[in-house]
Amino acid sequence: MVDFPSLERQRLMAVTAALFTHGADTPELLHLWLHLETVTVVVRVAADWTFHITPDEPGESYAMQELDSRVDMVPASAEVFFVRHVGDRLVHVVEKFDTEVPAQCVGAEFIFETGSVVAQSFEGDLHLAGR
């Protein structure tokens, strides 16, 4: 579990992405790691479609040859909205919960000095939107 107030006022230093590729398909964003000044957190959607933010470090890239798939750990591209805020301080994190199952986290808004990023679980995938 993350103590969200402990993340506030920390500068975003880098963003690492886990990209899932099956065969020759276009890579899909699987997880993101936000490297803050004193902690790294992973932003991900679990198998049960719940949204999680937890302290974690990215692992190594790996292949699943039997499935003709791979997961590559790479610096996030400019298309990932968080990258726009590298160098900015995180002001606040607001978790979003399911209206029908109030205990189930479905996303969060990350508010930076220069804007915000909404990350959410949608049909089991991680979706991002910049504001």
Side-chain angles (χ1 to χ4, degrees), residues 45-116:
V45 175
D48 65 358
W49 294 15
T50 57
F51 181 85
H52 294 271
I53 305 166
T54 54
D56 190 36
E57 292 289 336
E60 299 291 322
S61 299
Y62 59 93
M64 297 171 281
Q65 295 172 343
E66 65 281 1
L67 301 174
D68 190 27
S69 302
R70 69 181 190 277
V71 175
D72 296 306
M73 305 299 183
V74 297
S77 70
E79 297 169 352
V80 175
F81 293 103
F82 283 104
V83 172
R84 299 175 186 173
H85 300 289
V86 169
D88 293 344
R89 291 197 185 278
L90 180 62
V91 176
H92 194 57
V93 179
V94 180
E95 287 182 288
K96 310 284 183 183
F97 293 90
D98 190 304
T99 54
E100 294 177 16
V101 184
Q104 183 174 340
C105 185
V106 294
E109 182 174 9
F110 296 80
I111 302 166
F112 293 91
E113 297 168 312
T114 57
S116 65

Side-chain angles (χ1 to χ4, degrees), residues 15-29:
V15 182
T16 299
L19 301 178
F20 174 78
T21 306
H22 178 72
D25 293 349
T26 302
E28 296 177 24
L29 180 62

